Every structure is written in structure tokens, then in C-alpha cells.
Amino acid sequence: MSARPFPNGGVASVVDWVVDWVVDWVVDWVVDWVGRDISISDDIPVAGFQLLRHGSGIGRASALALAAEGALVTVAGRTAETLKETVRLIEASGGSARYVVADITDEAQVEKAVQAAVTDTGRLDIALNNAGYDGEYQLTQDYSTDMLDRMIALNLRGVFLSMKHELRHMTAQGSGAIVNMSSGAGLIGVPGFSGYAATKAAEIGMTRSTAVEVAPHGIRVNAVCPGLVDTPMIAALDTDQRTSLDAAHPLGRIARAEEIADAVVWLASDKAGFVTGIALPVDGGYTVP
């Protein structure tokens, strides 16, 4: 199946939203979609909504991992070319996908996208919210206010708006699982990244508070907190820099994006059916005191 725009009122039996940012601040969403009978793991609910990060990193790996469980995928975001590439990779691995353009910092677009995704099935079972922007190294006294505002818009407002509209559907149906992509920076101090750490810590607080709110409705809300992940940016570092990053992790290396995706799939599955309100480090021991 070739990449194609998401039609108004399209069928959406499985929905996985992936919010995916890249170094030029492009945000992409990936949504798993099913409009026919498929074979899917018993551990993964049939209808889902997923937000993931990085066009070539965690977000894309998570989209592929969920597609491997049998979900068909619709990609949504600001840049069609990035979305098309994610669609191409999913289809090359035997899955099926399409895309829709949207902006998660705009509440009207978030609401419209969620509604379009669940119009025909009326269900939303999985959500992975992965908006993220870490900015540049700057000491707090020199920190750019514009950079902080951008972090708040993507890391906090975007995730908040997404959960707000996801939960309206999940509460109505009485079930669902949300995974928010936080960071190890939300658990420990990271010099030079105070704004990023603040927004990711706030995301954990929002995750925990929401988990308590919606537990009576059969909805689980958790966060994943990755350490450093092997991306093209990391791969471009020289040998000494890479060795230093690996050594900062007790397991002696940084993570692969697929390892973060595995945690996402587990938290979204019935195998984590009694897990809610946690901030799960997937960081090779980086945040261990």
C-alpha cells in the first residue's frame, strides 16, 4: 500500500499517534490505524493512539514495533516528507500506513486529529505521547527565554493537549493505556539543560496526577524515561566523545531506539495491566543514585 493522505472521516480501527520531532524542530505524529480484520498480538489492544519522538529515533522505532504487532499505521505531523518516510519504512517491513498533516501545539488541530482517528470505530485504546525538544546547552543565567518557551510548547503543552483529548475518548469507553515519553533528565539534575529537565519533570508530574484521576475508569497512564539514545546525531560524534557518553552509563553503552520502543510496547500491552503512574527509566543505569 502506498503512502496517502488521511481522508476526512477515514476508518480507524487501530490508532497510534506518534509525535515525532527532529533537529529542525519538526513535529511528527504516528497513528496506528486498522480498517479491516488483522492478526494482532493478544497483549496489544486493538485500537490505540501513540505519540513518539524523532523521525529517525524513538518515535519511528516505536511505530515500527507496534506495526510489527499487526497494527496498520497512519502518520501525522507538520512535514509530509518526514511522514512519508516513516510510512515507507513501515510498508517495507510488511505493514501498511498512511499520513495526515497536523500540529500538536494547536488544540483545534489536536482535537480534530483525534476525532478523525476514532470517528468510525469510536475507540482509542493506546496513546504514546512523545513530543520533545531538548534545545542547546546553556547555563540557567544565560538560558534563552525563546528556547524555554519552545520546550514548554512541545514538551508540556503538546503532551497535555494530546492527553486531554485522548482521555475524553478513553473515559467514555472505560479503558485505555497512555504512555508519555519523558526523559532521564526529568529524574536527575542535568547541568546546562535546566529548562528541558524542568519540562520533563513536569511531564512526569502530569503523568502521575492523571494516572490517579483516571484509574477508576480503567485507564493506565505511565511515562518512559530514556537515557541517551543512539541516533544519527550521536553517531556523528568523534570516538572520544562517544566513549565518554558510553562510560556514563553503568551498562557501558547508550540505548538503541528499539530498546525504548520495547518498553513502550510493554507498557501499552496487557502484560503491564497492573502498572500505572510510574516513570520507568530505560537508561542503562544512568539515573541510579
Side-chain angles (χ1 to χ4, degrees), residues 205-258:
M206 185 165 57
T207 296
R208 289 172 171 160
S209 296
T210 305
V212 176
E213 287 179 4
V214 300
H217 299 283
I219 302 166
R220 299 182 297 106
V221 186
N222 294 290
V224 173
C225 299
L228 290 174
V229 179
D230 198 355
T231 64
M233 289 181 66
I234 296 295
L237 297 176
D238 63 38
T239 301
D240 289 343
Q241 290 173 317
R242 178 57 186 263
T243 299
S244 177
L245 292 179
D246 287 341
H249 296 73
L251 287 183
R253 63 176 178 84
I254 62 177
R256 302 188 309 275
E258 292 76 13

Side-chain angles (χ1 to χ4, degrees), residues 52-206:
L52 305 179
R53 180 181 181 184
H54 294 295
S56 57
I58 297 171
R60 183 167 286 165
S62 298
L64 286 164
L66 286 167
E69 294 293 334
L72 285 76
V73 176
T74 294
V75 221
R78 288 179 175 176
T79 304
E81 290 305 313
T82 304
L83 305 176
K84 288 178 182 179
E85 176 62 11
T86 300
V87 167
R88 186 192 69 78
L89 290 171
I90 291 169
E91 292 178 343
S93 67
S96 183
R98 54 186 183 175
Y99 70 91
V100 57
V101 176
D103 178 358
I104 62 156
T105 64
D106 184 318
E107 181 166 10
Q109 292 190 44
V110 172
E111 183 177 13
K112 183 177 180 180
V114 175
Q115 185 58 48
V118 301
T119 293
D120 292 320
T121 64
R123 294 195 61 81
L124 190 60
D125 293 325
I126 300 171
L128 171 59
N129 302 317
N130 189 65
Y133 167 57
D134 56 7
E136 302 173 359
Y137 178 94
Q138 290 183 4
L139 297 179
T140 302
Q141 65 264 30
D142 301 319
Y143 217 82
S144 164
T145 303
D146 289 342
M147 186 167 68
L148 177 63
D149 289 343
R150 189 164 195 80
M151 288 174 184
I152 292 171
L154 289 174
N155 301 357
L156 196 54
R157 176 183 168 85
V159 174
F160 170 80
L161 292 177
S162 299
M163 281 211 300
K164 175 180 177 179
H165 293 283
E166 295 158 4
L167 285 169
R168 289 179 174 177
H169 292 279
M170 291 181 176
T171 301
Q173 70 195 25
S175 63
I178 293 177
V179 181
N180 293 323
M181 192 60 62
S182 183
S183 168
L187 300 173
I188 62 173
V190 182
F193 290 91
S194 59
Y196 178 70
T199 58
K200 287 302 181 177
E203 191 175 329
I204 292 171
M206 185 165 57

Side-chain angles (χ1 to χ4, degrees), residues 5 7 16 30 42 63 77 83 102 115 195 270-271:
D16 288 306
V30 174
D42 291 339
L83 305 176
Q115 185 58 48
D270 290 340
K271 289 182 178 179

